Amino acid sequence: MQRYFASYSPENHCFIITGEDCHHISKVMRMKEKDEILCVSEDQKTAVCSIAEISTDQVIADVIQWKEESVELPVQVTIVSGLPKGDKFEWIIQKGTELGASKFIPFTADRSVVKWDGKKADKKIIRWQKIAKEAAEQSHRTVIPEITQPVNLSSLLKYAEGYDVKLVAYEEEARLGEVKVLVSSLNELEKGGSLLVLFGPEGGLSTGEVEKLIAGGFRPCGLGPRILRTETAPLYLLSAVSYHLELLR
């Protein structure tokens, strides 16, 4: 059953679907009236709906039954990723959304090869948001992760002050065999808590960046004994969070 994030009208007990999703229903899926779909409201509730009306600019779907779902991670996880080359950040967004991340923040690190092009910024953000939305629908999420504009280190340190736990994945810790910080940090998190984890670009983080992060309350941690690629490390982290906070509890 196709899943769509849409606007819910409590007065009419229906969802109103517009834009690309309207086109997808009518032209791509070629759905008809009385076909059933899943709709997710702004307050993260999911309903089985029956299509009542299809027009050129909107689809109206009546609610048949609200579903009881618990598909989100018990904590909010923000992934901060040093801007990587090519389409790696798109991969991180897509797979990270499937694994439950709530927010993605691109980070302009000292060793980032990619330089942020302000002229193409709006188009880039729109594309990233579309990738997150489609991945959220595919994985039956009730939340579309937020994706921010790239930040520098000073902005990140200020933003991170509101998080319960802040980690920085640091390959030097992995080389030294550090295995306890991630586990102990996850043990500290309660349901509804917040976790922010920073990952460097392909060249890793500079010593100066790590020192400033530690001074700002970040804990350096290893992610197992192997050195992971910049696009693999966030997925390892999210999988560890799910195992530790969902499967073991």
Side-chain angles (χ1 to χ4, degrees):
M1 194 179 297
Q2 293 293 312
R3 189 180 188 92
Y4 301 95
F5 290 88
S7 175
Y8 176 63
S9 172
E11 297 84 5
N12 301 309
H13 202 51
C14 70
F15 282 86
I16 301 171
I17 304 168
T18 59
E20 290 187 2
D21 286 339
C22 173
H23 174 81
H24 185 264
I25 289 172
S26 62
K27 303 299 182 182
V28 179
M29 300 303 298
R30 298 186 181 278
M31 292 186 185
K32 306 295 183 183
E33 293 179 2
K34 296 186 179 180
D35 284 348
E36 293 185 0
I37 58 176
L38 291 170
C39 293
V40 183
S41 65
E42 295 91 335
D43 58 355
Q44 304 174 24
K45 294 181 180 178
T46 304
V48 178
C49 299
S50 174
I51 295 177
E53 178 184 325
I54 299 178
S55 64
T56 56
D57 58 351
Q58 69 176 18
V59 172
I60 296 176
D62 293 331
V63 173
I64 298 175
Q65 180 183 9
W66 291 99
K67 293 171 63 69
E68 293 293 331
E69 291 188 320
S70 179
V71 298
E72 297 299 327
L73 287 174
V75 298
Q76 293 191 348
V77 182
T78 294
I79 300 297
V80 182
S81 180
L83 279 171
K85 295 183 291 185
D87 60 358
K88 291 178 182 178
F89 191 57
E90 295 181 1
W91 169 269
I92 292 170
I93 291 171
Q94 183 187 63
K95 301 309 176 186
T97 296
E98 293 177 24
L99 289 168
S102 59
K103 182 179 290 188
F104 297 92
I105 301 176
F107 167 60
T108 53
D110 289 345
R111 295 175 181 169
S112 289
V113 175
V114 174
K115 303 303 177 184
W116 183 248
D117 186 348
K119 296 179 180 179
K120 300 179 181 178
D122 290 342
K123 288 184 179 180
K124 184 79 75 172
I125 295 293
I126 290 172
R127 174 169 173 77
W128 289 345
Q129 290 172 336
K130 182 179 180 180
I131 290 170
K133 176 179 178 294
E134 291 175 349
E137 290 170 342
Q138 183 276 325
S139 56
H140 282 210
R141 295 277 305 270
T142 57
V143 175
I144 302 174
E146 178 186 352
I147 303 171
T148 73
Q149 293 277 351
V151 300
N152 58 27
L153 184 58
S154 59
S155 297
L156 176 64
L157 288 169
K158 185 174 182 181
Y159 174 81
E161 291 175 358
Y163 279 78
D164 296 323
V165 176
K166 298 172 288 188
L167 300 175
V168 51
Y170 190 39
E171 62 185 19
E172 293 303 323
E173 297 296 317
R175 289 195 178 99
L176 293 173
E178 187 282 311
V179 295
K180 296 181 179 179
V181 172
L182 178 58
V183 173
S184 62
S185 297
L186 294 180
N187 281 334
E188 292 179 19
L189 284 168
E190 300 291 340
K191 184 176 181 179
S194 58
L195 169 66
L196 183 146
V197 189
L198 183 147
F199 303 87
E202 289 88 349
L205 296 167
S206 68
T207 302
E209 285 174 325
V210 174
E211 290 174 350
K212 290 178 181 177
L213 288 164
I214 293 174
F218 281 74
R219 305 172 192 172
C221 71
L223 301 176
R226 292 161 293 280
I227 304 302
L228 304 177
R229 292 179 182 269
T230 186
E231 69 270 28
T232 308
L235 309 186
Y236 177 102
L237 182 281
L238 287 163
S239 299
V241 170
S242 175
Y243 178 75
H244 197 88
L245 299 181
E246 291 182 311
L247 300 186
L248 287 185
R249 291 187 180 179

